């Protein structure tokens, strides 16, 4: 009875306001809820999650004073720094509000915050609340981020173009061009965020949305750099009861379209929730896909083409060619798409969620990273796990056509699909009872219960 009372205690989640961060945090909330915890989500107003999709959770908005301006200008790092500076007092008020409302079995067991919402750690500590960090990117990305500070101190970054293909000795197979650097914004801001995030002071543990069989050696190195226990419990979307965490409305009509395509024939194309493209790049992408002669499902997020609302900028001729073998949606139910038997490849920006979702379904990838951790993930997909091809040149129709055919038609792609299937099976073992992620999750729950 005593134990049951404790297991009903409350966990307060503080996600960062981006789709790729909200998804794993809400998945963690679902996992903890199905293990007997009550969940409160304290969230920024920008990109706020939809409470009606999670009727079992409580939601508390965090009025932030930062404008959306920096996001629109693409300066995400400046936005995150500003959020951290502005919101500590308000977050404490939210924690205090939850504490005032708590019943005898409903005290706050702990706060779990996204690592980039680092102000949460101090806000929790001031109220004597235990906190745990959630890292939503790959372990390899954290190693690479931590290395940035030394590389800067030693004068290696910014690096000249002539060094871009050189390996970074302590991060092989990462090259200088793969380092998790932003394309917009100041290097100093990135380094400031990296050092804040690396400096864990009072948090009890770190949760990783990754899998031992994928990142065993990176996780071991990270454990040496950090004193607190870590819990690699990925892929969290596999543990979380299926419910959508999308901020945009998913267009399910693409599933019916996929039903009409043959097995492994479709290349799915999506560059995630943040990346932008120029009109010229979109036109090249469109012709490359059309000319590849493969069926394709393409997510074009409204507002993701600079200077356009959506695909109105494509010519009539191009739109007609697309409609012969392609299907365009504004936002897809991505996990279901990747699990569909018709999908045989994923042209992706290699955000960590997309990478995990693809690998977990055994779908090989064409890696088209833009910035930050996407480059690290792309390198691991193509050179460590060997389940993807890198598209490194400028987006050009001939190159896109070739790389799509390499993956979807050539022997090279078939071999990759076999390796992908093999990796999928190994991941399934990690999720099952007795597997590494399953064990980690049990230990995490035991730890929270014992707080
Ligand atoms: N996603 C989706 N529908 C889409 C495109 C993306 O549901 O049409 C989801 C995808 O499944 C993933 C998330 O959005 O969970 C994107 O996160 P990721 O880390 O891959 O990239 P980011 O958007 O952060 O760059």
């Amino acid at each position: 009875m005593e134990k049951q009372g404790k297991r009903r205690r409350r966990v307060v989640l503080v996600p960062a306001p981006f789709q790729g961060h909200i998804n794993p945090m809400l998945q963690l909330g679902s996992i903890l809820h199905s293990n007997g915890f009550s969940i409160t989500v304290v969230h920024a107003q920008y990109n706020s999650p939809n409470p009606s999709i999670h009727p079992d959770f409580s939601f508390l908005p965090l009025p932030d004073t930062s404008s959306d301006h920096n996001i629109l200008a693409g300066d995400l790092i400046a936005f995150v720094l500003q959020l951290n500076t502005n919101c500590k007092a308000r977050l404490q008020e939210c924690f205090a509000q939850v504490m005032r409302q708590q019943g005898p079995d409903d005290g706050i067991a702990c706060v779990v915050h996204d690592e980039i919402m680092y102000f949460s750690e101090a806000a929790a500590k001031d109220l004597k609340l235990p906190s745990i960090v959630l890292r939503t990117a790959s372990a390899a990305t954290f190693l690479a981020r931590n290395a940035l500070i030394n590389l800067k101190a030693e004068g290696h970054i910014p690096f000249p173009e002539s060094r871009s293909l050189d390996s970074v000795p302590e991060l092989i197979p990462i090259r200088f061009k793969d380092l998790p650097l932003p394309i917009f914004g100041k290097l100093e801001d990135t380094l400031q965020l990296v050092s804040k995030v690396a400096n864990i002071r009072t948090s009890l543990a770190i949760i990783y949305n990754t899998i031992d069989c994928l990142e065993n050696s990176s996780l071991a190195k990270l454990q040496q750099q950090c004193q607190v226990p870590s819990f690699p419990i990925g892929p969290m979307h596999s543990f979380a009861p299926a419910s959508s965490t999308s901020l945009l409305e998913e267009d399910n009509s693409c599933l019916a379209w996929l039903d009409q395509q043959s097995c492994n024939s479709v290349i799915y194309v999506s560059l995630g929730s943040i990346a932008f493209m120029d009109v010229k790049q979109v036109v090249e992408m469109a012709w490359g896909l059309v000319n590849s002669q493969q069926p394709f499902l393409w997510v074009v997020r409204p507002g993701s083409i600079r200077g356009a609302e959506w695909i109105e900028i494509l010519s009539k001729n191009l739109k007609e060619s697309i409609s012969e073998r392609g299907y365009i949606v504004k936002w897809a139910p991505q996990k279901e798409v990747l699990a569909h038997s018709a999908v045989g490849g994923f042209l992706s920006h290699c955000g960590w969620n997309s990478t995990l979702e693809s690998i977990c379904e055994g779908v090989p990838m064409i890696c088209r990273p833009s910035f930050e951790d996407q480059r690290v993930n792309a390198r691991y997909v193509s050179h460590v796990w060997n389940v993807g091809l890198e598209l490194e040149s400028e987006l050009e129709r001939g190159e896109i056509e070739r790389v799509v055919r390499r993956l979807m038609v050539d022997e090279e792609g078939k071999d990759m699909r076999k390796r992908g299937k093999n990796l999928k099976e190994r991941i399934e073992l990690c999720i099952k009872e007795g597997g590494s992620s399953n064990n980690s999750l049990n230990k995490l729950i035991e730890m929270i219960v014992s707080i």
Side-chain angles (χ1 to χ4, degrees):
M1 194 62 205
E2 161 83 357
K3 189 164 180 223
Q4 234 196 1
K6 278 189 179 172
R7 283 174 67 90
R8 255 188 261 122
R9 289 172 67 184
R10 185 162 293 277
V11 176
V12 180
L13 307 178
V14 188
F18 308 107
Q19 182 75 74
H21 291 247
I22 288 171
N23 285 4
M25 185 63 92
L26 292 183
Q27 285 154 6
L28 177 67
S30 297
I31 296 168
L32 293 176
H33 186 264
S34 65
N35 279 278
F37 294 95
S38 310
I39 302 295
T40 298
V41 183
V42 180
H43 59 89
Q45 301 221 338
Y46 175 76
N47 269 346
S48 68
N50 180 353
S52 69
I53 301 177
H54 308 276
D56 294 326
F57 299 178
S58 308
F59 287 84
L60 260 185
L62 181 69
D64 57 70
T65 50
S66 41
S67 71
D68 293 352
H69 180 78
N70 286 328
I71 300 244
L72 298 174
D75 195 346
L76 296 183
I77 308 279
F79 172 76
V80 170
L81 290 172
Q82 200 180 358
L83 199 61
N84 276 280
T85 310
N86 292 345
C87 290
K88 185 178 162 205
R90 262 304 289 149
L91 183 63
Q92 272 178 341
E93 278 171 38
C94 290
F95 289 162
Q97 188 179 334
V98 180
M99 287 162 87
R100 279 195 300 277
Q101 288 165 352
Q102 65 197 28
D105 284 340
D106 198 29
I108 298 179
C110 68
V111 170
V112 180
H113 68 87
D114 191 299
E115 62 163 355
I116 65 170
M117 303 290 272
Y118 53 82
F119 67 107
S120 314
E121 186 188 42
K125 178 176 172 271
D126 287 355
L127 294 174
K128 299 195 170 43
L129 292 171
S131 66
I132 295 177
V133 179
L134 171 64
R135 291 187 164 168
T136 61
S138 66
T141 292
F142 291 105
L143 285 176
R145 280 186 187 149
N146 290 347
L148 288 179
I149 295 173
N150 282 344
L151 288 168
K152 170 76 173 134
E154 290 161 7
H156 295 306
I157 51 170
F159 58 88
E161 187 56 33
S162 59
R163 290 208 72 186
S164 66
L165 293 178
D166 292 354
S167 295
V168 181
E170 66 271 38
L171 296 175
I172 287 168
I174 300 298
R175 305 160 298 180
F176 276 86
K177 68 177 285 199
D178 306 317
L179 285 168
L181 294 165
I183 37 175
F184 302 110
K186 299 187 203 121
L187 176 61
E188 284 64 31
D189 282 353
T190 297
L191 295 176
Q192 189 188 340
L193 185 60
V194 166
S195 68
K196 294 271 190 200
V197 163
N199 187 12
I200 291 178
R201 291 163 190 269
T202 53
S203 288
L204 299 179
I206 304 171
I207 302 171
Y208 289 94
N209 188 19
T210 191
I211 316 162
D212 200 57
C213 72
L214 283 183
E215 296 211 272
N216 180 294
S217 72
S218 299
L219 282 164
K221 283 184 198 150
L222 277 173
Q223 191 61 65
Q224 282 168 6
Q225 292 176 8
C226 187
Q227 306 309 314
V228 297
S230 48
F231 296 96
I233 62 166
M236 290 208 256
H237 70 271
S238 297
F239 285 107
S243 76
S244 171
T245 47
S246 263
L247 298 169
L248 298 174
E249 195 183 339
E250 294 167 345
D251 183 344
N252 288 314
S253 67
C254 59
L255 297 173
W257 180 82
L258 284 175
D259 288 342
Q260 294 160 19
Q261 313 302 322
S262 48
C263 190
N264 284 337
S265 68
V266 175
I267 176 95
Y268 169 58
V269 185
S270 164
L271 301 182
S273 63
I274 296 174
F276 289 87
M277 289 172 95
D278 296 331
V279 172
K280 183 169 177 291
Q281 291 176 317
V282 174
V283 171
E284 291 299 308
M285 175 79 96
W287 278 121
L289 291 169
V290 167
N291 294 342
S292 77
Q293 307 274 316
Q294 294 299 299
F296 60 92
L297 169 60
W298 186 8
V299 177
V300 182
R301 211 179 66 242
S304 66
I305 306 174
R306 286 196 188 86
E309 285 198 7
W310 195 45
I311 53 170
E312 73 283 354
I313 36 90
L314 301 181
S315 67
K316 189 163 169 272
N317 176 22
L318 180 50
K319 278 189 189 150
E320 276 167 14
S321 301
I322 289 173
S323 66
E324 281 170 26
R325 61 182 72 249
Y327 198 81
I328 298 185
V329 291
K330 294 181 173 169
W331 194 249
Q334 181 164 300
K335 290 192 283 295
E336 282 153 277
V337 165
L338 288 168
H340 197 290
S341 59
V343 173
F346 182 10
L347 196 167
S348 170
H349 70 308
C350 294
W352 184 235
N353 294 284
S354 295
T355 303
L356 270 184
E357 287 157 12
S358 198
I359 289 178
C360 288
E361 294 301 340
V363 176
M365 300 169 79
I366 295 171
C367 305
R368 175 64 200 174
S370 296
F371 53 83
E372 243 276 324
D373 69 321
Q374 300 162 14
R375 295 175 176 150
V376 177
N377 301 336
R379 197 70 181 154
Y380 271 71
V381 167
S382 57
H383 283 78
V384 178
W385 306 315
N386 292 315
V387 290
L389 303 168
E390 265 178 313
L391 177 54
E392 298 212 81
S393 51
E394 273 302 299
L395 281 184
E396 186 273 321
R397 62 188 74 183
E399 192 54 42
I400 294 166
E401 176 189 341
R402 273 189 293 280
V403 77
V404 169
R405 292 193 65 80
R406 274 174 69 196
L407 189 76
M408 302 302 290
V409 183
D410 294 356
E411 277 309 308
E412 192 182 6
K414 289 188 185 132
D415 289 345
M416 237 162 231
R417 204 157 291 116
K418 274 187 213 144
R419 279 195 294 277
K421 196 164 172 286
N422 187 278
L423 193 53
K424 173 184 172 167
E425 285 164 7
R426 284 171 50 208
I427 292 172
E428 280 166 358
L429 290 179
C430 295
I431 301 166
K432 280 196 180 138
E433 211 174 321
S436 62
S437 289
N438 198 304
N439 286 344
S440 267
L441 179 56
N442 288 337
K443 285 188 195 141
L444 172 69
I445 289 167
E446 273 167 31
M447 194 194 88
I448 301 178
V449 168
S450 71
I451 289 173

